[in-house]
Amino acid sequence: MKRGLVLNGGGSRGAYEIGAWQALNELGVRFDGVYGTSIGALNAALVAQGDLDGAIALWSEIKVSQIMSVEDEDDFAIDRMVSRKRDVIPFLMENAKHLRMDIAPLEKLVRENLDEARIRAGGLRLGVMATRAPQMTGAPMPLERMAPGSLADWVIASASCFPIFPARHIDGQRYIDGGYYDNLPVDMALADGMEEIVAVELHPEPAHPEYARMPWLTDIRPLHSLGGFLDFNPDLLRRSRLLGYQDAMKRWGRLEGFLYTFRRVNDLAAAEAARRFMRALTRFDGEITRRGVMRAVQPASATLLSALEQECGGRALDWKDVWLRGLELCARAMGFRVDAVYDAEALIKRCREYCAAQTFAESFDDAGIQAVQNRGGRAVLAFVLQRLGTAEGLPPQSLRRLAETPGPVAGAMFLNCI
């Protein structure tokens, strides 16, 4: 069965794809073809070249000045104003005359880092997606149909985010960024004979939701924002690459978690604790529903179960997933960073120690709970956990106010149940 790797367009977020490739390489996952759009086209060519170390070095050092000429990198902030190509067009049509549009740095970067002869000799099928202009039709281009010496031109065409960059002319036809037609060229890979697809995406929501449940598709995608598409901050690039690596390892079962990343946990122990945790959540939600509290809570979906189910990438949860989500709610309330790999028991210990060390003068009336909530998720986590550890538990009159911060409250219930 032929397996294809498909890479998303997304500018500087492409560092995530290199981290995923690094993990897949360590896992021994091999491909017959690789396909990409925009920055995914450049990364696809690097995969076909087989130069993982070079790709990591490139993405560790890349700057916006290596993509396009700008007067001052610190002032180049389009990515802070808009997040996607479809959003950038109205802004740029109004302001393009004020921008430097010289892509000589991108030309230099592509030509210095791609060895077309090596790629053609490597035997891996390669395809890039561009968009014909002004027709705005797709132009899927496999390597074997590219004229010798033109690979760099096709990669640049695929990444020509018009009107930031000028259209690319190849054989008398104008081409612009392939993302305007298909930012994740799964169909191109299928048409090229790939029967199994690994798609690396750069956004929390899938580019092709119609394929999300297909048995031939394995998707690797972040549940976090990876930042702006022209934000080449080195710390952000490092974070994106780490998240790509971790998400790929999680998809293959070597690591665990959703928003956070954990080393393997004991399935049986997790399932038993998860059942206790779920019963606690259900009792809380049932009580606030019975008392009509939900009509007074904004948003109306702010139940503990909804907090548990959010940010799971649409995946159905099993008992171990419930346990992991409870732990993630604790980690989020505590403000732990998302690009680290945690030992679950050590993280639980840190949460418990923090909560035990806190002291509160506030009472469980509306004013007291609101005062704690104003101090942030950590304070709510500790406040509720301490009360859950008493014989009285949570007083009924506190439920409406507590339902306004479901994540930290659910996290406290998790710590109380394990």
Side-chain angles (χ1 to χ4, degrees):
M1 182 175 289
K2 292 184 178 179
R3 179 190 291 136
L5 176 64
V6 181
L7 303 178
N8 208 176
S12 55
R13 305 180 188 108
Y16 180 91
E17 295 172 339
I18 301 304
W21 176 26
Q22 183 180 359
L24 293 169
N25 186 67
E26 291 180 17
L27 292 164
V29 180
R30 299 293 178 255
F31 299 97
D32 300 285
V34 57
Y35 310 84
T37 296
S38 196
I39 200 63
L42 173 59
N43 285 341
L46 292 170
V47 173
Q49 188 166 295
D51 187 8
L52 176 58
D53 291 340
I56 292 173
L58 170 65
W59 277 98
S60 298
E61 301 166 1
I62 194 168
K63 300 177 180 178
V64 70
S65 59
Q66 294 175 277
I67 304 298
M68 57 187 293
S69 296
V70 294
E71 292 181 0
D72 187 339
E73 286 193 31
D74 293 334
D75 290 338
F76 192 77
I78 290 175
D79 56 283
R80 299 184 195 126
M81 304 176 198
V82 294
S83 60
R84 297 205 184 202
K85 296 182 183 75
R86 70 170 70 97
D87 303 321
V88 80
I89 290 200
F91 170 82
L92 287 174
M93 293 303 290
E94 181 67 24
N95 296 281
K97 61 181 179 291
H98 301 300
L99 298 174
R100 298 282 188 121
M101 299 176 68
D102 177 13
I103 63 166
L106 177 62
E107 292 258 7
K108 183 173 184 290
L109 180 138
V110 171
R111 296 188 186 282
E112 285 183 350
N113 285 277
L114 294 186
D115 184 338
E116 182 174 335
R118 178 177 171 180
I119 291 170
R120 289 184 181 273
L124 193 65
R125 297 188 65 78
L126 170 65
V128 304
M129 177 63 71
T131 301
R132 296 182 189 89
Q135 301 94 326
M136 298 307 287
T137 57
M141 183 57 59
L143 180 63
E144 65 267 20
R145 284 174 45 201
M146 299 178 192
S150 69
L151 173 59
D153 290 307
W154 281 105
V155 168
I156 294 167
S158 181
S160 290
C161 186
F162 182 85
I164 302 177
F165 299 164
R168 193 73 175 179
H169 290 77
I170 302 176
D171 296 332
Q173 171 67 54
R174 296 171 67 223
Y175 296 94
I176 61 175
D177 196 301
Y180 292 120
Y181 181 78
D182 188 352
N183 210 28
L184 185 73
V186 172
D187 291 333
M188 182 184 183
L190 294 172
D192 201 35
M194 299 299 114
E195 301 163 282
E196 180 182 344
I197 302 295
V198 176
V200 184
E201 306 204 41
L202 300 178
H203 306 283
E205 59 279 359
H208 286 289
E210 69 275 19
Y211 294 149
R213 298 185 182 276
M214 293 297 101
W216 42 263
L217 177 68
T218 302
D219 70 322
I220 301 167
R221 58 188 165 97
L223 296 180
H224 306 270
S225 168
L226 299 177
F229 71 94
L230 287 174
D231 189 345
F232 288 89
N233 180 288
D235 291 334
L236 182 62
L237 296 181
R238 182 195 63 82
R239 172 184 179 271
S240 294
R241 185 159 55 85
L242 283 173
L243 289 174
Y245 178 90
Q246 292 163 8
D247 287 345
M249 285 294 188
K250 285 188 280 190
R251 201 67 175 88
W252 259 258
R254 298 298 179 87
L255 295 170
E256 306 202 86
F258 295 88
L259 289 173
Y260 288 82
T261 303
F262 307 101
R263 298 184 183 89
R264 295 298 301 269
V265 301
N266 183 288
D267 291 21
L268 180 59
E272 292 174 352
R275 287 181 170 85
R276 295 192 294 272
F277 175 44
M278 185 63 79
R279 285 194 294 270
L281 299 185
T282 304
R283 283 195 299 269
F284 183 98
D285 285 353
E287 186 64 17
I288 62 174
T289 300
R290 185 180 69 81
R291 291 173 175 270
V293 171
M294 291 312 302
R295 290 192 294 271
V297 175
Q298 296 297 325
S301 61
T303 64
L304 303 197
L305 286 174
S306 70
L308 186 77
E309 294 169 346
Q310 288 172 1
E311 300 168 314
C312 294
R315 195 169 98 193
L317 304 183
D318 60 25
W319 286 113
K320 185 171 70 174
D321 293 333
V322 169
W323 191 94
L324 288 167
R325 282 296 295 142
L327 182 54
E328 290 190 337
L329 291 173
C330 294
R332 168 164 277 196
M334 292 287 292
F336 292 153
R337 49 186 284 194
V338 298
D339 59 351
V341 178
Y342 295 95
D343 176 82
E345 295 303 322
L347 190 145
I348 290 169
K349 182 180 178 183
R350 288 175 62 185
C351 291
R352 286 187 183 280
E353 289 176 347
Y354 172 83
C355 292
Q358 305 310 300
T359 58
F360 297 96
E362 293 84 357
S363 61
F364 259 84
D365 56 18
D366 274 11
I369 294 173
Q370 185 172 13
V372 173
Q373 289 171 331
N374 291 340
R375 290 161 54 185
R378 283 188 173 199
V380 175
L381 183 76
F383 186 62
V384 174
L385 180 61
Q386 289 183 17
R387 181 63 188 232
L388 287 171
T390 67
E392 296 85 1
L394 301 180
Q397 66 270 20
S398 71
L399 300 183
R400 183 191 68 81
R401 182 66 68 182
L402 291 175
E404 295 174 355
T405 49
V409 173
M413 290 186 173
F414 171 79
L415 291 176
N416 190 60
C417 289
I418 57 175

PDB file of all heavy atoms in Angstrom, residues 119-138:
ATOM      1  N   ILE A 119      17.031  15.357  -5.397  1.00  0.00           N
ATOM      2  CA  ILE A 119      15.615  15.036  -5.204  1.00  0.00           C
ATOM      3  C   ILE A 119      15.135  14.093  -6.310  1.00  0.00           C
ATOM      4  O   ILE A 119      14.444  13.106  -6.054  1.00  0.00           O
ATOM      5  CB  ILE A 119      14.783  16.329  -5.171  1.00  0.00           C
ATOM      6  CG1 ILE A 119      15.100  17.119  -3.898  1.00  0.00           C
ATOM      7  CG2 ILE A 119      13.287  16.027  -5.246  1.00  0.00           C
ATOM      8  CD1 ILE A 119      14.521  18.520  -3.863  1.00  0.00           C
ATOM      9  N   ARG A 120      15.509  14.390  -7.561  1.00  0.00           N
ATOM     10  CA  ARG A 120      15.080  13.535  -8.669  1.00  0.00           C
ATOM     11  C   ARG A 120      15.691  12.141  -8.569  1.00  0.00           C
ATOM     12  O   ARG A 120      15.049  11.148  -8.932  1.00  0.00           O
ATOM     13  CB  ARG A 120      15.450  14.186 -10.003  1.00  0.00           C
ATOM     14  CG  ARG A 120      14.607  15.413 -10.334  1.00  0.00           C
ATOM     15  CD  ARG A 120      14.934  15.964 -11.709  1.00  0.00           C
ATOM     16  NE  ARG A 120      14.163  17.154 -12.033  1.00  0.00           N
ATOM     17  CZ  ARG A 120      12.940  17.159 -12.586  1.00  0.00           C
ATOM     18  NH1 ARG A 120      12.352  15.999 -12.856  1.00  0.00           N
ATOM     19  NH2 ARG A 120      12.317  18.301 -12.843  1.00  0.00           N
ATOM     20  N   ALA A 121      16.898  12.069  -8.044  1.00  0.00           N
ATOM     21  CA  ALA A 121      17.556  10.765  -7.920  1.00  0.00           C
ATOM     22  C   ALA A 121      17.047   9.970  -6.727  1.00  0.00           C
ATOM     23  O   ALA A 121      17.254   8.750  -6.658  1.00  0.00           O
ATOM     24  CB  ALA A 121      19.070  10.964  -7.805  1.00  0.00           C
ATOM     25  N   GLY A 122      16.361  10.657  -5.776  1.00  0.00           N
ATOM     26  CA  GLY A 122      15.951   9.991  -4.549  1.00  0.00           C
ATOM     27  C   GLY A 122      14.824   8.999  -4.713  1.00  0.00           C
ATOM     28  O   GLY A 122      14.646   8.108  -3.872  1.00  0.00           O
ATOM     29  N   GLY A 123      14.019   9.143  -5.758  1.00  0.00           N
ATOM     30  CA  GLY A 123      12.967   8.171  -6.028  1.00  0.00           C
ATOM     31  C   GLY A 123      11.644   8.427  -5.330  1.00  0.00           C
ATOM     32  O   GLY A 123      10.669   7.713  -5.574  1.00  0.00           O
ATOM     33  N   LEU A 124      11.577   9.429  -4.458  1.00  0.00           N
ATOM     34  CA  LEU A 124      10.324   9.733  -3.769  1.00  0.00           C
ATOM     35  C   LEU A 124       9.482  10.639  -4.665  1.00  0.00           C
ATOM     36  O   LEU A 124       9.975  11.632  -5.189  1.00  0.00           O
ATOM     37  CB  LEU A 124      10.624  10.449  -2.450  1.00  0.00           C
ATOM     38  CG  LEU A 124       9.484  10.593  -1.442  1.00  0.00           C
ATOM     39  CD1 LEU A 124       9.047   9.233  -0.927  1.00  0.00           C
ATOM     40  CD2 LEU A 124       9.934  11.463  -0.271  1.00  0.00           C
ATOM     41  N   ARG A 125       8.225  10.280  -4.851  1.00  0.00           N
ATOM     42  CA  ARG A 125       7.354  11.123  -5.669  1.00  0.00           C
ATOM     43  C   ARG A 125       7.110  12.439  -4.951  1.00  0.00           C
ATOM     44  O   ARG A 125       6.942  12.485  -3.734  1.00  0.00           O
ATOM     45  CB  ARG A 125       6.024  10.412  -5.963  1.00  0.00           C
ATOM     46  CG  ARG A 125       6.206   9.141  -6.773  1.00  0.00           C
ATOM     47  CD  ARG A 125       4.879   8.568  -7.222  1.00  0.00           C
ATOM     48  NE  ARG A 125       4.169   9.453  -8.150  1.00  0.00           N
ATOM     49  CZ  ARG A 125       4.450   9.591  -9.430  1.00  0.00           C
ATOM     50  NH1 ARG A 125       5.466   8.917  -9.966  1.00  0.00           N
ATOM     51  NH2 ARG A 125       3.733  10.404 -10.207  1.00  0.00           N
ATOM     52  N   LEU A 126       7.095  13.526  -5.717  1.00  0.00           N
ATOM     53  CA  LEU A 126       6.962  14.860  -5.149  1.00  0.00           C
ATOM     54  C   LEU A 126       5.952  15.651  -5.961  1.00  0.00           C
ATOM     55  O   LEU A 126       5.974  15.609  -7.199  1.00  0.00           O
ATOM     56  CB  LEU A 126       8.318  15.584  -5.157  1.00  0.00           C
ATOM     57  CG  LEU A 126       8.315  17.077  -4.813  1.00  0.00           C
ATOM     58  CD1 LEU A 126       7.871  17.302  -3.367  1.00  0.00           C
ATOM     59  CD2 LEU A 126       9.701  17.689  -5.057  1.00  0.00           C
ATOM     60  N   GLY A 127       5.067  16.354  -5.277  1.00  0.00           N
ATOM     61  CA  GLY A 127       4.127  17.222  -5.967  1.00  0.00           C
ATOM     62  C   GLY A 127       3.900  18.492  -5.184  1.00  0.00           C
ATOM     63  O   GLY A 127       3.888  18.480  -3.951  1.00  0.00           O
ATOM     64  N   VAL A 128       3.719  19.613  -5.903  1.00  0.00           N
ATOM     65  CA  VAL A 128       3.412  20.889  -5.255  1.00  0.00           C
ATOM     66  C   VAL A 128       2.130  21.447  -5.874  1.00  0.00           C
ATOM     67  O   VAL A 128       1.831  21.205  -7.045  1.00  0.00           O
ATOM     68  CB  VAL A 128       4.575  21.897  -5.378  1.00  0.00           C
ATOM     69  CG1 VAL A 128       5.855  21.302  -4.825  1.00  0.00           C
ATOM     70  CG2 VAL A 128       4.767  22.355  -6.816  1.00  0.00           C
ATOM     71  N   MET A 129       1.394  22.186  -5.067  1.00  0.00           N
ATOM     72  CA  MET A 129       0.143  22.798  -5.519  1.00  0.00           C
ATOM     73  C   MET A 129       0.328  24.294  -5.702  1.00  0.00           C
ATOM     74  O   MET A 129       0.773  24.992  -4.781  1.00  0.00           O
ATOM     75  CB  MET A 129      -0.967  22.538  -4.500  1.00  0.00           C
ATOM     76  CG  MET A 129      -2.293  23.205  -4.840  1.00  0.00           C
ATOM     77  SD  MET A 129      -3.045  22.604  -6.383  1.00  0.00           S
ATOM     78  CE  MET A 129      -3.552  20.961  -5.845  1.00  0.00           C
ATOM     79  N   ALA A 130       0.008  24.785  -6.899  1.00  0.00           N
ATOM     80  CA  ALA A 130      -0.021  26.219  -7.170  1.00  0.00           C
ATOM     81  C   ALA A 130      -1.421  26.581  -7.667  1.00  0.00           C
ATOM     82  O   ALA A 130      -2.276  25.711  -7.855  1.00  0.00           O
ATOM     83  CB  ALA A 130       1.046  26.585  -8.197  1.00  0.00           C
ATOM     84  N   THR A 131      -1.638  27.882  -7.875  1.00  0.00           N
ATOM     85  CA  THR A 131      -2.928  28.359  -8.366  1.00  0.00           C
ATOM     86  C   THR A 131      -2.693  29.199  -9.619  1.00  0.00           C
ATOM     87  O   THR A 131      -1.875  30.128  -9.595  1.00  0.00           O
ATOM     88  CB  THR A 131      -3.644  29.222  -7.305  1.00  0.00           C
ATOM     89  OG1 THR A 131      -3.835  28.451  -6.121  1.00  0.00           O
ATOM     90  CG2 THR A 131      -4.993  29.702  -7.821  1.00  0.00           C
ATOM     91  N   ARG A 132      -3.391  28.864 -10.703  1.00  0.00           N
ATOM     92  CA  ARG A 132      -3.285  29.668 -11.915  1.00  0.00           C
ATOM     93  C   ARG A 132      -3.999  30.995 -11.707  1.00  0.00           C
ATOM     94  O   ARG A 132      -5.090  31.037 -11.150  1.00  0.00           O
ATOM     95  CB  ARG A 132      -3.910  28.940 -13.101  1.00  0.00           C
ATOM     96  CG  ARG A 132      -3.226  27.648 -13.498  1.00  0.00           C
ATOM     97  CD  ARG A 132      -3.888  27.027 -14.721  1.00  0.00           C
ATOM     98  NE  ARG A 132      -3.349  25.689 -14.966  1.00  0.00           N
ATOM     99  CZ  ARG A 132      -3.839  24.583 -14.434  1.00  0.00           C
ATOM    100  NH1 ARG A 132      -4.903  24.668 -13.616  1.00  0.00           N
ATOM    101  NH2 ARG A 132      -3.307  23.416 -14.677  1.00  0.00           N
ATOM    102  N   ALA A 133      -3.361  32.074 -12.179  1.00  0.00           N
ATOM    103  CA  ALA A 133      -3.978  33.396 -12.097  1.00  0.00           C
ATOM    104  C   ALA A 133      -4.032  34.003 -13.501  1.00  0.00           C
ATOM    105  O   ALA A 133      -3.084  33.840 -14.282  1.00  0.00           O
ATOM    106  CB  ALA A 133      -3.165  34.287 -11.157  1.00  0.00           C
ATOM    107  N   PRO A 134      -5.114  34.658 -13.852  1.00  0.00           N
ATOM    108  CA  PRO A 134      -6.250  35.037 -12.990  1.00  0.00           C
ATOM    109  C   PRO A 134      -7.359  34.005 -12.932  1.00  0.00           C
ATOM    110  O   PRO A 134      -8.409  34.261 -12.360  1.00  0.00           O
ATOM    111  CB  PRO A 134      -6.742  36.321 -13.657  1.00  0.00           C
ATOM    112  CG  PRO A 134      -6.515  36.062 -15.124  1.00  0.00           C
ATOM    113  CD  PRO A 134      -5.223  35.270 -15.203  1.00  0.00           C
ATOM    114  N   GLN A 135      -7.165  32.827 -13.522  1.00  0.00           N
ATOM    115  CA  GLN A 135      -8.245  31.845 -13.573  1.00  0.00           C
ATOM    116  C   GLN A 135      -8.657  31.338 -12.196  1.00  0.00           C
ATOM    117  O   GLN A 135      -9.790  30.897 -11.996  1.00  0.00           O
ATOM    118  CB  GLN A 135      -7.813  30.639 -14.433  1.00  0.00           C
ATOM    119  CG  GLN A 135      -7.456  30.992 -15.870  1.00  0.00           C
ATOM    120  CD  GLN A 135      -5.968  31.225 -16.046  1.00  0.00           C
ATOM    121  OE1 GLN A 135      -5.306  31.730 -15.148  1.00  0.00           O
ATOM    122  NE2 GLN A 135      -5.451  30.851 -17.217  1.00  0.00           N
ATOM    123  N   MET A 136      -7.715  31.352 -11.235  1.00  0.00           N
ATOM    124  CA  MET A 136      -7.918  30.855  -9.873  1.00  0.00           C
ATOM    125  C   MET A 136      -8.316  29.376  -9.888  1.00  0.00           C
ATOM    126  O   MET A 136      -9.162  28.920  -9.115  1.00  0.00           O
ATOM    127  CB  MET A 136      -8.948  31.688  -9.120  1.00  0.00           C
ATOM    128  CG  MET A 136      -8.549  33.147  -8.946  1.00  0.00           C
ATOM    129  SD  MET A 136      -6.908  33.374  -8.188  1.00  0.00           S
ATOM    130  CE  MET A 136      -7.249  32.922  -6.493  1.00  0.00           C
ATOM    131  N   THR A 137      -7.681  28.624 -10.761  1.00  0.00           N
ATOM    132  CA  THR A 137      -7.868  27.171 -10.810  1.00  0.00           C
ATOM    133  C   THR A 137      -6.623  26.490 -10.272  1.00  0.00           C
ATOM    134  O   THR A 137      -5.524  27.054 -10.289  1.00  0.00           O
ATOM    135  CB  THR A 137      -8.142  26.693 -12.246  1.00  0.00           C
ATOM    136  OG1 THR A 137      -7.052  27.111 -13.096  1.00  0.00           O
ATOM    137  CG2 THR A 137      -9.447  27.264 -12.764  1.00  0.00           C
ATOM    138  N   GLY A 138      -6.794  25.274  -9.797  1.00  0.00           N
ATOM    139  CA  GLY A 138      -5.677  24.554  -9.217  1.00  0.00           C
ATOM    140  C   GLY A 138      -4.674  24.118 -10.262  1.00  0.00           C
ATOM    141  O   GLY A 138      -5.034  23.783 -11.402  1.00  0.00           O
TER     142      GLY A 138
END
